[in-house]
């Protein structure tokens, strides 16, 4: 079973809505969370690195007000895609690292496919 749980796993939204992507670590303490996106036919890109209880570090070109991240404790982090539009359609991937001494240092990850449809009537 996955050691990082991300919800939802696939969502189709109306343009202009905000989408909240939740990521939970199930069997370890996620002191550090990494958020990635993979646009169609492009390689995986790191968006931001989040350390529990402290400021999020955003990569160049990624706007904090567009993609706010909340990481309040060692088992939960959430990324919001605000005012989502078709160009935001992407795979969004969260990866968590356990930094406990002697723990497993390999990142564990899950992904979400976010699709945005200009005229889809349902809200997310």
């Amino acid at each position: 079973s996955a050691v990082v749980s991300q919800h939802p796993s696939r969502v189709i939204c109306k343009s202009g809505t905000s989408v909240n992507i939740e990521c939970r670590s199930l069997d370890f303490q996620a002191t550090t969370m990494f958020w990635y996106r993979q646009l169609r036919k492009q390689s995986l890109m790191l968006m931001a690195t989040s350390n529990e209880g402290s400021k999020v570090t955003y990569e160049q070109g990624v706007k904090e007000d567009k993609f706010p991240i909340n990481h309040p404790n060692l088992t939960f982090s959430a990324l919001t895609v605000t005012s989502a539009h078709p160009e935001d359609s992407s795979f969004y991937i969260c990866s968590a690292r356990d930094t406990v001494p002697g723990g497993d240092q390999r990142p564990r990850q899950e992904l979400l496919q976010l699709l945005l449809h200009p005229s889809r009537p349902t809200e997310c």
Side-chain angles (χ1 to χ4, degrees), residues 40-65:
R40 183 176 164 86
K41 296 183 178 177
Q42 292 188 24
S43 58
L44 201 63
M45 185 194 84
L46 179 63
M47 298 174 68
T49 303
S50 171
N51 290 296
E52 181 265 334
S54 63
K55 194 167 167 57
V56 179
T57 303
Y58 287 86
E59 297 302 304
Q60 189 171 357
V62 180
K63 293 184 167 59
E64 184 173 355
D65 58 350

mmCIF file with all atom_site columns, all heavy atoms in Angstrom, residues 40-65:
data_model
loop_
_atom_site.group_PDB
_atom_site.id
_atom_site.type_symbol
_atom_site.label_atom_id
_atom_site.label_alt_id
_atom_site.label_comp_id
_atom_site.label_asym_id
_atom_site.label_entity_id
_atom_site.label_seq_id
_atom_site.pdbx_PDB_ins_code
_atom_site.Cartn_x
_atom_site.Cartn_y
_atom_site.Cartn_z
_atom_site.occupancy
_atom_site.B_iso_or_equiv
_atom_site.pdbx_formal_charge
_atom_site.auth_seq_id
_atom_site.auth_comp_id
_atom_site.auth_asym_id
_atom_site.auth_atom_id
_atom_site.pdbx_PDB_model_num
ATOM 1   N N   . ARG A 1 40 ? 1.627  18.255 -19.584 1.00 0.00 ? 40 ARG A N   1
ATOM 2   C CA  . ARG A 1 40 ? 1.538  17.341 -20.718 1.00 0.00 ? 40 ARG A CA  1
ATOM 3   C C   . ARG A 1 40 ? 2.801  17.385 -21.573 1.00 0.00 ? 40 ARG A C   1
ATOM 4   O O   . ARG A 1 40 ? 3.255  18.451 -21.974 1.00 0.00 ? 40 ARG A O   1
ATOM 5   C CB  . ARG A 1 40 ? 0.312  17.723 -21.553 1.00 0.00 ? 40 ARG A CB  1
ATOM 6   C CG  . ARG A 1 40 ? 0.037  16.825 -22.729 1.00 0.00 ? 40 ARG A CG  1
ATOM 7   C CD  . ARG A 1 40 ? -1.262 17.270 -23.392 1.00 0.00 ? 40 ARG A CD  1
ATOM 8   N NE  . ARG A 1 40 ? -1.398 16.712 -24.723 1.00 0.00 ? 40 ARG A NE  1
ATOM 9   C CZ  . ARG A 1 40 ? -1.912 15.511 -24.963 1.00 0.00 ? 40 ARG A CZ  1
ATOM 10  N NH1 . ARG A 1 40 ? -2.333 14.763 -23.961 1.00 0.00 ? 40 ARG A NH1 1
ATOM 11  N NH2 . ARG A 1 40 ? -2.023 15.060 -26.197 1.00 0.00 ? 40 ARG A NH2 1
ATOM 12  N N   . LYS A 1 41 ? 3.382  16.214 -21.796 1.00 0.00 ? 41 LYS A N   1
ATOM 13  C CA  . LYS A 1 41 ? 4.573  16.056 -22.639 1.00 0.00 ? 41 LYS A CA  1
ATOM 14  C C   . LYS A 1 41 ? 5.784  16.826 -22.116 1.00 0.00 ? 41 LYS A C   1
ATOM 15  O O   . LYS A 1 41 ? 6.685  17.188 -22.864 1.00 0.00 ? 41 LYS A O   1
ATOM 16  C CB  . LYS A 1 41 ? 4.278  16.466 -24.089 1.00 0.00 ? 41 LYS A CB  1
ATOM 17  C CG  . LYS A 1 41 ? 3.240  15.583 -24.750 1.00 0.00 ? 41 LYS A CG  1
ATOM 18  C CD  . LYS A 1 41 ? 3.015  15.968 -26.195 1.00 0.00 ? 41 LYS A CD  1
ATOM 19  C CE  . LYS A 1 41 ? 2.015  15.047 -26.857 1.00 0.00 ? 41 LYS A CE  1
ATOM 20  N NZ  . LYS A 1 41 ? 1.718  15.415 -28.242 1.00 0.00 ? 41 LYS A NZ  1
ATOM 21  N N   . GLN A 1 42 ? 5.805  17.093 -20.825 1.00 0.00 ? 42 GLN A N   1
ATOM 22  C CA  . GLN A 1 42 ? 6.965  17.752 -20.215 1.00 0.00 ? 42 GLN A CA  1
ATOM 23  C C   . GLN A 1 42 ? 7.483  16.905 -19.066 1.00 0.00 ? 42 GLN A C   1
ATOM 24  O O   . GLN A 1 42 ? 6.814  15.993 -18.597 1.00 0.00 ? 42 GLN A O   1
ATOM 25  C CB  . GLN A 1 42 ? 6.601  19.155 -19.715 1.00 0.00 ? 42 GLN A CB  1
ATOM 26  C CG  . GLN A 1 42 ? 6.297  20.132 -20.840 1.00 0.00 ? 42 GLN A CG  1
ATOM 27  C CD  . GLN A 1 42 ? 6.129  21.554 -20.327 1.00 0.00 ? 42 GLN A CD  1
ATOM 28  O OE1 . GLN A 1 42 ? 6.642  21.915 -19.267 1.00 0.00 ? 42 GLN A OE1 1
ATOM 29  N NE2 . GLN A 1 42 ? 5.404  22.362 -21.080 1.00 0.00 ? 42 GLN A NE2 1
ATOM 30  N N   . SER A 1 43 ? 8.686  17.223 -18.630 1.00 0.00 ? 43 SER A N   1
ATOM 31  C CA  . SER A 1 43 ? 9.273  16.451 -17.534 1.00 0.00 ? 43 SER A CA  1
ATOM 32  C C   . SER A 1 43 ? 8.760  16.960 -16.188 1.00 0.00 ? 43 SER A C   1
ATOM 33  O O   . SER A 1 43 ? 8.185  18.039 -16.091 1.00 0.00 ? 43 SER A O   1
ATOM 34  C CB  . SER A 1 43 ? 10.802 16.551 -17.590 1.00 0.00 ? 43 SER A CB  1
ATOM 35  O OG  . SER A 1 43 ? 11.200 17.894 -17.524 1.00 0.00 ? 43 SER A OG  1
ATOM 36  N N   . LEU A 1 44 ? 8.994  16.173 -15.169 1.00 0.00 ? 44 LEU A N   1
ATOM 37  C CA  . LEU A 1 44 ? 8.586  16.501 -13.817 1.00 0.00 ? 44 LEU A CA  1
ATOM 38  C C   . LEU A 1 44 ? 9.320  17.750 -13.341 1.00 0.00 ? 44 LEU A C   1
ATOM 39  O O   . LEU A 1 44 ? 10.523 17.891 -13.549 1.00 0.00 ? 44 LEU A O   1
ATOM 40  C CB  . LEU A 1 44 ? 8.939  15.319 -12.917 1.00 0.00 ? 44 LEU A CB  1
ATOM 41  C CG  . LEU A 1 44 ? 8.214  15.165 -11.595 1.00 0.00 ? 44 LEU A CG  1
ATOM 42  C CD1 . LEU A 1 44 ? 6.736  14.956 -11.826 1.00 0.00 ? 44 LEU A CD1 1
ATOM 43  C CD2 . LEU A 1 44 ? 8.813  13.996 -10.841 1.00 0.00 ? 44 LEU A CD2 1
ATOM 44  N N   . MET A 1 45 ? 8.583  18.681 -12.715 1.00 0.00 ? 45 MET A N   1
ATOM 45  C CA  . MET A 1 45 ? 9.184  19.930 -12.253 1.00 0.00 ? 45 MET A CA  1
ATOM 46  C C   . MET A 1 45 ? 8.865  20.138 -10.781 1.00 0.00 ? 45 MET A C   1
ATOM 47  O O   . MET A 1 45 ? 7.702  20.050 -10.368 1.00 0.00 ? 45 MET A O   1
ATOM 48  C CB  . MET A 1 45 ? 8.630  21.102 -13.055 1.00 0.00 ? 45 MET A CB  1
ATOM 49  C CG  . MET A 1 45 ? 9.286  22.428 -12.728 1.00 0.00 ? 45 MET A CG  1
ATOM 50  S SD  . MET A 1 45 ? 8.355  23.840 -13.386 1.00 0.00 ? 45 MET A SD  1
ATOM 51  C CE  . MET A 1 45 ? 7.144  24.091 -12.089 1.00 0.00 ? 45 MET A CE  1
ATOM 52  N N   . LEU A 1 46 ? 9.886  20.391 -9.985  1.00 0.00 ? 46 LEU A N   1
ATOM 53  C CA  . LEU A 1 46 ? 9.684  20.710 -8.581  1.00 0.00 ? 46 LEU A CA  1
ATOM 54  C C   . LEU A 1 46 ? 9.056  22.093 -8.472  1.00 0.00 ? 46 LEU A C   1
ATOM 55  O O   . LEU A 1 46 ? 9.558  23.065 -9.047  1.00 0.00 ? 46 LEU A O   1
ATOM 56  C CB  . LEU A 1 46 ? 11.018 20.688 -7.824  1.00 0.00 ? 46 LEU A CB  1
ATOM 57  C CG  . LEU A 1 46 ? 10.961 21.042 -6.335  1.00 0.00 ? 46 LEU A CG  1
ATOM 58  C CD1 . LEU A 1 46 ? 10.129 20.025 -5.552  1.00 0.00 ? 46 LEU A CD1 1
ATOM 59  C CD2 . LEU A 1 46 ? 12.368 21.133 -5.767  1.00 0.00 ? 46 LEU A CD2 1
ATOM 60  N N   . MET A 1 47 ? 7.933  22.176 -7.751  1.00 0.00 ? 47 MET A N   1
ATOM 61  C CA  . MET A 1 47 ? 7.253  23.451 -7.540  1.00 0.00 ? 47 MET A CA  1
ATOM 62  C C   . MET A 1 47 ? 7.709  24.124 -6.253  1.00 0.00 ? 47 MET A C   1
ATOM 63  O O   . MET A 1 47 ? 7.973  25.321 -6.219  1.00 0.00 ? 47 MET A O   1
ATOM 64  C CB  . MET A 1 47 ? 5.736  23.249 -7.481  1.00 0.00 ? 47 MET A CB  1
ATOM 65  C CG  . MET A 1 47 ? 5.125  22.687 -8.738  1.00 0.00 ? 47 MET A CG  1
ATOM 66  S SD  . MET A 1 47 ? 3.363  22.341 -8.491  1.00 0.00 ? 47 MET A SD  1
ATOM 67  C CE  . MET A 1 47 ? 2.717  24.001 -8.308  1.00 0.00 ? 47 MET A CE  1
ATOM 68  N N   . ALA A 1 48 ? 7.740  23.323 -5.177  1.00 0.00 ? 48 ALA A N   1
ATOM 69  C CA  . ALA A 1 48 ? 8.017  23.910 -3.867  1.00 0.00 ? 48 ALA A CA  1
ATOM 70  C C   . ALA A 1 48 ? 8.454  22.828 -2.881  1.00 0.00 ? 48 ALA A C   1
ATOM 71  O O   . ALA A 1 48 ? 8.114  21.657 -3.031  1.00 0.00 ? 48 ALA A O   1
ATOM 72  C CB  . ALA A 1 48 ? 6.780  24.619 -3.339  1.00 0.00 ? 48 ALA A CB  1
ATOM 73  N N   . THR A 1 49 ? 9.196  23.264 -1.876  1.00 0.00 ? 49 THR A N   1
ATOM 74  C CA  . THR A 1 49 ? 9.615  22.401 -0.778  1.00 0.00 ? 49 THR A CA  1
ATOM 75  C C   . THR A 1 49 ? 9.043  22.979 0.506   1.00 0.00 ? 49 THR A C   1
ATOM 76  O O   . THR A 1 49 ? 9.188  24.166 0.776   1.00 0.00 ? 49 THR A O   1
ATOM 77  C CB  . THR A 1 49 ? 11.145 22.344 -0.681  1.00 0.00 ? 49 THR A CB  1
ATOM 78  O OG1 . THR A 1 49 ? 11.674 21.904 -1.936  1.00 0.00 ? 49 THR A OG1 1
ATOM 79  C CG2 . THR A 1 49 ? 11.594 21.389 0.410   1.00 0.00 ? 49 THR A CG2 1
ATOM 80  N N   . SER A 1 50 ? 8.376  22.123 1.273   1.00 0.00 ? 50 SER A N   1
ATOM 81  C CA  . SER A 1 50 ? 7.694  22.572 2.482   1.00 0.00 ? 50 SER A CA  1
ATOM 82  C C   . SER A 1 50 ? 8.249  21.837 3.699   1.00 0.00 ? 50 SER A C   1
ATOM 83  O O   . SER A 1 50 ? 8.299  20.615 3.715   1.00 0.00 ? 50 SER A O   1
ATOM 84  C CB  . SER A 1 50 ? 6.195  22.291 2.333   1.00 0.00 ? 50 SER A CB  1
ATOM 85  O OG  . SER A 1 50 ? 5.523  22.506 3.547   1.00 0.00 ? 50 SER A OG  1
ATOM 86  N N   . ASN A 1 51 ? 8.677  22.592 4.684   1.00 0.00 ? 51 ASN A N   1
ATOM 87  C CA  . ASN A 1 51 ? 9.116  22.003 5.950   1.00 0.00 ? 51 ASN A CA  1
ATOM 88  C C   . ASN A 1 51 ? 8.058  22.273 7.006   1.00 0.00 ? 51 ASN A C   1
ATOM 89  O O   . ASN A 1 51 ? 7.576  23.408 7.135   1.00 0.00 ? 51 ASN A O   1
ATOM 90  C CB  . ASN A 1 51 ? 10.464 22.582 6.379   1.00 0.00 ? 51 ASN A CB  1
ATOM 91  C CG  . ASN A 1 51 ? 11.582 22.108 5.486   1.00 0.00 ? 51 ASN A CG  1
ATOM 92  O OD1 . ASN A 1 51 ? 11.885 20.923 5.443   1.00 0.00 ? 51 ASN A OD1 1
ATOM 93  N ND2 . ASN A 1 51 ? 12.179 23.022 4.744   1.00 0.00 ? 51 ASN A ND2 1
ATOM 94  N N   . GLU A 1 52 ? 7.709  21.252 7.741   1.00 0.00 ? 52 GLU A N   1
ATOM 95  C CA  . GLU A 1 52 ? 6.629  21.344 8.716   1.00 0.00 ? 52 GLU A CA  1
ATOM 96  C C   . GLU A 1 52 ? 6.831  22.523 9.658   1.00 0.00 ? 52 GLU A C   1
ATOM 97  O O   . GLU A 1 52 ? 7.884  22.686 10.258  1.00 0.00 ? 52 GLU A O   1
ATOM 98  C CB  . GLU A 1 52 ? 6.551  20.027 9.507   1.00 0.00 ? 52 GLU A CB  1
ATOM 99  C CG  . GLU A 1 52 ? 5.438  19.983 10.537  1.00 0.00 ? 52 GLU A CG  1
ATOM 100 C CD  . GLU A 1 52 ? 5.895  20.368 11.928  1.00 0.00 ? 52 GLU A CD  1
ATOM 101 O OE1 . GLU A 1 52 ? 7.083  20.200 12.225  1.00 0.00 ? 52 GLU A OE1 1
ATOM 102 O OE2 . GLU A 1 52 ? 5.049  20.850 12.703  1.00 0.00 ? 52 GLU A OE2 1
ATOM 103 N N   . GLY A 1 53 ? 5.800  23.367 9.736   1.00 0.00 ? 53 GLY A N   1
ATOM 104 C CA  . GLY A 1 53 ? 5.815  24.472 10.684  1.00 0.00 ? 53 GLY A CA  1
ATOM 105 C C   . GLY A 1 53 ? 6.644  25.676 10.281  1.00 0.00 ? 53 GLY A C   1
ATOM 106 O O   . GLY A 1 53 ? 6.724  26.643 11.024  1.00 0.00 ? 53 GLY A O   1
ATOM 107 N N   . SER A 1 54 ? 7.285  25.632 9.094   1.00 0.00 ? 54 SER A N   1
ATOM 108 C CA  . SER A 1 54 ? 8.091  26.785 8.684   1.00 0.00 ? 54 SER A CA  1
ATOM 109 C C   . SER A 1 54 ? 7.729  27.199 7.262   1.00 0.00 ? 54 SER A C   1
ATOM 110 O O   . SER A 1 54 ? 6.875  26.610 6.621   1.00 0.00 ? 54 SER A O   1
ATOM 111 C CB  . SER A 1 54 ? 9.585  26.472 8.801   1.00 0.00 ? 54 SER A CB  1
ATOM 112 O OG  . SER A 1 54 ? 9.937  25.431 7.923   1.00 0.00 ? 54 SER A OG  1
ATOM 113 N N   . LYS A 1 55 ? 8.408  28.190 6.770   1.00 0.00 ? 55 LYS A N   1
ATOM 114 C CA  . LYS A 1 55 ? 8.072  28.774 5.479   1.00 0.00 ? 55 LYS A CA  1
ATOM 115 C C   . LYS A 1 55 ? 8.321  27.811 4.324   1.00 0.00 ? 55 LYS A C   1
ATOM 116 O O   . LYS A 1 55 ? 9.234  27.003 4.357   1.00 0.00 ? 55 LYS A O   1
ATOM 117 C CB  . LYS A 1 55 ? 8.913  30.049 5.285   1.00 0.00 ? 55 LYS A CB  1
ATOM 118 C CG  . LYS A 1 55 ? 8.445  30.937 4.146   1.00 0.00 ? 55 LYS A CG  1
ATOM 119 C CD  . LYS A 1 55 ? 9.137  32.288 4.247   1.00 0.00 ? 55 LYS A CD  1
ATOM 120 C CE  . LYS A 1 55 ? 8.967  33.109 2.988   1.00 0.00 ? 55 LYS A CE  1
ATOM 121 N NZ  . LYS A 1 55 ? 7.560  33.340 2.633   1.00 0.00 ? 55 LYS A NZ  1
ATOM 122 N N   . VAL A 1 56 ? 7.467  27.940 3.306   1.00 0.00 ? 56 VAL A N   1
ATOM 123 C CA  . VAL A 1 56 ? 7.597  27.123 2.103   1.00 0.00 ? 56 VAL A CA  1
ATOM 124 C C   . VAL A 1 56 ? 8.587  27.794 1.152   1.00 0.00 ? 56 VAL A C   1
ATOM 125 O O   . VAL A 1 56 ? 8.582  29.015 0.983   1.00 0.00 ? 56 VAL A O   1
ATOM 126 C CB  . VAL A 1 56 ? 6.221  26.976 1.402   1.00 0.00 ? 56 VAL A CB  1
ATOM 127 C CG1 . VAL A 1 56 ? 6.350  26.150 0.128   1.00 0.00 ? 56 VAL A CG1 1
ATOM 128 C CG2 . VAL A 1 56 ? 5.210  26.348 2.349   1.00 0.00 ? 56 VAL A CG2 1
ATOM 129 N N   . THR A 1 57 ? 9.464  26.995 0.533   1.00 0.00 ? 57 THR A N   1
ATOM 130 C CA  . THR A 1 57 ? 10.405 27.511 -0.453  1.00 0.00 ? 57 THR A CA  1
ATOM 131 C C   . THR A 1 57 ? 9.875  27.191 -1.848  1.00 0.00 ? 57 THR A C   1
ATOM 132 O O   . THR A 1 57 ? 9.724  26.020 -2.203  1.00 0.00 ? 57 THR A O   1
ATOM 133 C CB  . THR A 1 57 ? 11.795 26.867 -0.279  1.00 0.00 ? 57 THR A CB  1
ATOM 134 O OG1 . THR A 1 57 ? 12.255 27.112 1.052   1.00 0.00 ? 57 THR A OG1 1
ATOM 135 C CG2 . THR A 1 57 ? 12.785 27.442 -1.280  1.00 0.00 ? 57 THR A CG2 1
ATOM 136 N N   . TYR A 1 58 ? 9.573  28.231 -2.622  1.00 0.00 ? 58 TYR A N   1
ATOM 137 C CA  . TYR A 1 58 ? 9.043  28.061 -3.976  1.00 0.00 ? 58 TYR A CA  1
ATOM 138 C C   . TYR A 1 58 ? 10.168 28.149 -4.996  1.00 0.00 ? 58 TYR A C   1
ATOM 139 O O   . TYR A 1 58 ? 11.095 28.933 -4.838  1.00 0.00 ? 58 TYR A O   1
ATOM 140 C CB  . TYR A 1 58 ? 7.995  29.131 -4.271  1.00 0.00 ? 58 TYR A CB  1
ATOM 141 C CG  . TYR A 1 58 ? 6.686  28.904 -3.541  1.00 0.00 ? 58 TYR A CG  1
ATOM 142 C CD1 . TYR A 1 58 ? 6.510  29.380 -2.241  1.00 0.00 ? 58 TYR A CD1 1
ATOM 143 C CD2 . TYR A 1 58 ? 5.651  28.208 -4.136  1.00 0.00 ? 58 TYR A CD2 1
ATOM 144 C CE1 . TYR A 1 58 ? 5.327  29.159 -1.553  1.00 0.00 ? 58 TYR A CE1 1
ATOM 145 C CE2 . TYR A 1 58 ? 4.455  27.988 -3.458  1.00 0.00 ? 58 TYR A CE2 1
ATOM 146 C CZ  . TYR A 1 58 ? 4.302  28.463 -2.177  1.00 0.00 ? 58 TYR A CZ  1
ATOM 147 O OH  . TYR A 1 58 ? 3.131  28.237 -1.505  1.00 0.00 ? 58 TYR A OH  1
ATOM 148 N N   . GLU A 1 59 ? 10.036 27.340 -6.032  1.00 0.00 ? 59 GLU A N   1
ATOM 149 C CA  . GLU A 1 59 ? 11.007 27.382 -7.117  1.00 0.00 ? 59 GLU A CA  1
ATOM 150 C C   . GLU A 1 59 ? 10.743 28.602 -7.999  1.00 0.00 ? 59 GLU A C   1
ATOM 151 O O   . GLU A 1 59 ? 9.644  29.166 -7.999  1.00 0.00 ? 59 GLU A O   1
ATOM 152 C CB  . GLU A 1 59 ? 10.926 26.096 -7.951  1.00 0.00 ? 59 GLU A CB  1
ATOM 153 C CG  . GLU A 1 59 ? 11.283 24.833 -7.186  1.00 0.00 ? 59 GLU A CG  1
ATOM 154 C CD  . GLU A 1 59 ? 12.684 24.886 -6.603  1.00 0.00 ? 59 GLU A CD  1
ATOM 155 O OE1 . GLU A 1 59 ? 13.642 25.094 -7.368  1.00 0.00 ? 59 GLU A OE1 1
ATOM 156 O OE2 . GLU A 1 59 ? 12.832 24.707 -5.374  1.00 0.00 ? 59 GLU A OE2 1
ATOM 157 N N   . GLN A 1 60 ? 11.750 28.969 -8.769  1.00 0.00 ? 60 GLN A N   1
ATOM 158 C CA  . GLN A 1 60 ? 11.645 30.144 -9.632  1.00 0.00 ? 60 GLN A CA  1
ATOM 159 C C   . GLN A 1 60 ? 10.473 29.990 -10.606 1.00 0.00 ? 60 GLN A C   1
ATOM 160 O O   . GLN A 1 60 ? 10.295 28.943 -11.220 1.00 0.00 ? 60 GLN A O   1
ATOM 161 C CB  . GLN A 1 60 ? 12.950 30.330 -10.409 1.00 0.00 ? 60 GLN A CB  1
ATOM 162 C CG  . GLN A 1 60 ? 13.019 31.647 -11.165 1.00 0.00 ? 60 GLN A CG  1
ATOM 163 C CD  . GLN A 1 60 ? 14.410 31.883 -11.751 1.00 0.00 ? 60 GLN A CD  1
ATOM 164 O OE1 . GLN A 1 60 ? 15.317 31.092 -11.550 1.00 0.00 ? 60 GLN A OE1 1
ATOM 165 N NE2 . GLN A 1 60 ? 14.559 32.976 -12.479 1.00 0.00 ? 60 GLN A NE2 1
ATOM 166 N N   . GLY A 1 61 ? 9.667  31.020 -10.715 1.00 0.00 ? 61 GLY A N   1
ATOM 167 C CA  . GLY A 1 61 ? 8.541  31.007 -11.641 1.00 0.00 ? 61 GLY A CA  1
ATOM 168 C C   . GLY A 1 61 ? 7.260  30.455 -11.054 1.00 0.00 ? 61 GLY A C   1
ATOM 169 O O   . GLY A 1 61 ? 6.212  30.486 -11.700 1.00 0.00 ? 61 GLY A O   1
ATOM 170 N N   . VAL A 1 62 ? 7.327  29.924 -9.832  1.00 0.00 ? 62 VAL A N   1
ATOM 171 C CA  . VAL A 1 62 ? 6.127  29.392 -9.170  1.00 0.00 ? 62 VAL A CA  1
ATOM 172 C C   . VAL A 1 62 ? 5.661  30.432 -8.154  1.00 0.00 ? 62 VAL A C   1
ATOM 173 O O   . VAL A 1 62 ? 6.399  30.793 -7.244  1.00 0.00 ? 62 VAL A O   1
ATOM 174 C CB  . VAL A 1 62 ? 6.415  28.046 -8.473  1.00 0.00 ? 62 VAL A CB  1
ATOM 175 C CG1 . VAL A 1 62 ? 5.154  27.517 -7.797  1.00 0.00 ? 62 VAL A CG1 1
ATOM 176 C CG2 . VAL A 1 62 ? 6.949  27.036 -9.472  1.00 0.00 ? 62 VAL A CG2 1
ATOM 177 N N   . LYS A 1 63 ? 4.436  30.918 -8.322  1.00 0.00 ? 63 LYS A N   1
ATOM 178 C CA  . LYS A 1 63 ? 3.938  32.008 -7.492  1.00 0.00 ? 63 LYS A CA  1
ATOM 179 C C   . LYS A 1 63 ? 3.224  31.482 -6.243  1.00 0.00 ? 63 LYS A C   1
ATOM 180 O O   . LYS A 1 63 ? 2.337  30.645 -6.330  1.00 0.00 ? 63 LYS A O   1
ATOM 181 C CB  . LYS A 1 63 ? 2.987  32.889 -8.302  1.00 0.00 ? 63 LYS A CB  1
ATOM 182 C CG  . LYS A 1 63 ? 3.685  33.657 -9.421  1.00 0.00 ? 63 LYS A CG  1
ATOM 183 C CD  . LYS A 1 63 ? 2.691  34.581 -10.120 1.00 0.00 ? 63 LYS A CD  1
ATOM 184 C CE  . LYS A 1 63 ? 3.404  35.582 -11.017 1.00 0.00 ? 63 LYS A CE  1
ATOM 185 N NZ  . LYS A 1 63 ? 4.226  34.950 -12.059 1.00 0.00 ? 63 LYS A NZ  1
ATOM 186 N N   . GLU A 1 64 ? 3.611  32.042 -5.110  1.00 0.00 ? 64 GLU A N   1
ATOM 187 C CA  . GLU A 1 64 ? 3.057  31.610 -3.823  1.00 0.00 ? 64 GLU A CA  1
ATOM 188 C C   . GLU A 1 64 ? 1.553  31.862 -3.744  1.00 0.00 ? 64 GLU A C   1
ATOM 189 O O   . GLU A 1 64 ? 0.811  31.049 -3.195  1.00 0.00 ? 64 GLU A O   1
ATOM 190 C CB  . GLU A 1 64 ? 3.780  32.350 -2.693  1.00 0.00 ? 64 GLU A CB  1
ATOM 191 C CG  . GLU A 1 64 ? 3.353  31.922 -1.310  1.00 0.00 ? 64 GLU A CG  1
ATOM 192 C CD  . GLU A 1 64 ? 4.203  32.560 -0.210  1.00 0.00 ? 64 GLU A CD  1
ATOM 193 O OE1 . GLU A 1 64 ? 5.181  33.268 -0.527  1.00 0.00 ? 64 GLU A OE1 1
ATOM 194 O OE2 . GLU A 1 64 ? 3.871  32.329 0.963   1.00 0.00 ? 64 GLU A OE2 1
ATOM 195 N N   . ASP A 1 65 ? 1.086  32.988 -4.305  1.00 0.00 ? 65 ASP A N   1
ATOM 196 C CA  . ASP A 1 65 ? -0.345 33.279 -4.220  1.00 0.00 ? 65 ASP A CA  1
ATOM 197 C C   . ASP A 1 65 ? -1.171 32.406 -5.164  1.00 0.00 ? 65 ASP A C   1
ATOM 198 O O   . ASP A 1 65 ? -2.372 32.220 -4.951  1.00 0.00 ? 65 ASP A O   1
ATOM 199 C CB  . ASP A 1 65 ? -0.618 34.771 -4.469  1.00 0.00 ? 65 ASP A CB  1
ATOM 200 C CG  . ASP A 1 65 ? -0.103 35.254 -5.821  1.00 0.00 ? 65 ASP A CG  1
ATOM 201 O OD1 . ASP A 1 65 ? 0.627  34.492 -6.493  1.00 0.00 ? 65 ASP A OD1 1
ATOM 202 O OD2 . ASP A 1 65 ? -0.424 36.387 -6.208  1.00 0.00 ? 65 ASP A OD2 1
#
